[in-house]
Amino acid sequence: MFSSPNSTFRKIISALWLCFAGGFIFFVLYVFAVSINFLNLFGDLPDLKALENPKSELASEVYSEDGVLLGKYFRENRSPVTYEQLPKHLVDALVATEDIRFEEHSGIDFKGTLAVPYYQLTGKQDRGSSTLTQQLARNLFRTRSDLNDGLLSSVPGLRMLIIKTKEWIMAIKLERSYTKKEILLMYLNTVDFGSNAYGVKVAAKTFFNKEPEQLTLEESATLVGVLKGPSFYSPVSQPERSKARRNTVLDQMLKYNYIDQPAYQASVSKPMKLDFNVENQNKGLAPYFRTEMGKFLTKWAKENGYDLYSDGLRIYTTINSRMQKHAEDAVEDHMKAMQKIFFQQWKGKNPWIDENGKEIKNFLATQIKRTARYQSLNEQYDGNEDSIKYHLTKKIPMRIFSWKGEIDTVMSPMDSLRYYKHFLHAGFMAMNPLNGHVKAWVGGTNYKYFKYDHVQQGARQPGSTFKPFVYTAAIEAGYSPCYEVVDAPVTIINEDGVPWTPKNSEGVYTGRRYTLREALALSVNTITTFLMKKLGPEAVVTTARRLGITTPLEAVPSLALGSSDVTLFDMVGAYGTYVNKGVWTQPQYILRIEDKAGTVVQEFAPKTVEALSEETAYLMVHMLQGSADTRGGTAYYGLRFRNNLKNEIGAKTGTTSNYSDAWFMGITPDLAAGVWVGGEDRSIHFRSAAYGQGNKLAMPIYGAFMRKVYADKALNVSKAPFPKPTTPLSTNINCGAYNTTPALPDSVKQDQVLTVPQNVTEEEF
């Protein structure tokens, strides 16, 4: 018998229904199995706590004391914004292009998903099937990489299905936990826009140098367009493609009535206009400072359960952005001029010379072995010198530093090493001696090309800037600033029995009597040596330690003239002790650290030690003023006339053997500052006192900085006299008038205005 048509139809319907029901039940069971990771077949999902508190990497931000963003620490450069900071047209562009039914679905757009095959066949698809919530789940929980794999994840064709299923599950849970606004905000704060810009705040800054709320309609459309493929649609590397994609976003906004025809026509016709600037550690204010501080912060974060590069900490520092800018400008201006002179002096010659003025043989061959490039080649070619030499002498395209801007050229690594060894370097630091707050920190001349920090990382011989520690020990031992000593040779026998008889800078012994204040002002070596002989090196080491010098100090007679290496960081802290009534204050550069929610995690206070009596400290301030107010003093002409600084300043210059290191230290009632200038290696330096002494090579940076600081009325830096001690002095400091006649170290006679040679370039060194 034949069954009736109706019966056959019912059987077909019944079979289809059974297939659908069975498929639905299978799908539900499959989703449930994925959600519980049945038999570890699919891999774990994030737990509920992670879904309720999703974490994305946030850059930690560094702020100056006056609220200026100095820079960031990050692996992914991301800073959050609030929903109120988002322009409406940005949100509209995103929804119109990526998820038009965003307000209607609960995490999964079934209509959009079912339409995917049709769109793919017709070529009309403008977006994928993933909703914004699914994309957010992918961004937050890194479903394509970080989620645990199960046993089935390696089966061909199943991995992506499992990943998509996990994204569906997490999208639904996100929708249950957050409002639509919160989901949109999280999405825009986490998504990758390319060019190391994560989140809309960094993207707006990177591509347009704007805050998100300042974006125009076409700029918002550009950013949304980039999301389809940050590299493929990059407005930097692919401007035409990016513009076409931007216009597609505007088409979508017009299609769904987010903008009208006039707004569409006005925006679609505009050219792409960028203000592109990728944030990195090489840029911004105080890069050397941020790097050195980062060493402390990395350790602090580890000890306190944070990740400096992803937890969105806010670090508030003592740096003043205006002072920092003045310091960086002062260093740049002076070093640019001095480098020109240096190239002229060494034109056609190599500046690495020994104590006899002879070029050091095989200098570059020795130096190249210390580079990362050499070590990499050595490992790659198993020490084969021929192969290593080939690559070190092979010319390749490279970009190099110059004071006129970066230069694209062709050089070998050996040529590059030779070129960079001709450059002078500098360090500068200023702090408030009354509270230890570091106000400016310049660790070098250009952080991108010269990473080494000359404030805290590097230590060099301080020369005569170490002498005040000898005089401090003398004052504590009962000597008066008016105590007189004859300028005559002094011999001290070293522990090894070898006599040491230092000369004055110019080899002249005047035979006249100088007060200690005059001797320090004129930097007379013989009188410092006399004091060292009376006091002993151990007493000077003890004094320097109390004043905060932390580097190894060799207790030998030559320490009196600065033979042991010190850091600029320690030196500024030590000189600040004199201004702060004898209380040494450890230089402090962090005020507080907040978490990403703005909660204060830790506040910092400087460490202090009562290192000197108030009277000793004041007497040393008085002694140091002699350099600037005594005719013939090492800082007299440079500060009073060249820089027109007429207020009370304590100062000390320093110059080491062969002019390898030039120093200057300066103090005022609310600023202690120090400068170091020299070559990367001690063998690289000027050949004469005309340019190599501390008052020529280092002091001008201090002078320019102070001029800028005093001219900046917003800083309110004091020009007042140093405050008097609270109790009467136990010794007389009125030593009578003094007229200098001899030409002594750093004298007025030598301190002539520098003449910068013309038409000298880096290429002509």
Side-chain angles (χ1 to χ4, degrees), residues 466 540-542 544-545 549-556 559 564-566:
F466 196 87
V540 175
V541 169
T542 300
R545 288 276 178 254
I549 303 301
T550 60
T551 48
L553 298 175
E554 193 174 1
V556 295
L559 180 65
S564 292
D565 291 350
V566 298

Side-chain angles (χ1 to χ4, degrees), residues 31 91 126 151 245 290 381 399 434 512 522 567 650 701:
V31 172
V91 175
D126 189 59
L151 298 176
R245 179 62 186 166
R290 286 184 275 121
Y381 294 104
R399 178 169 291 180
L434 305 181
R512 61 151 296 165
L522 299 168
T567 67
I701 292 176

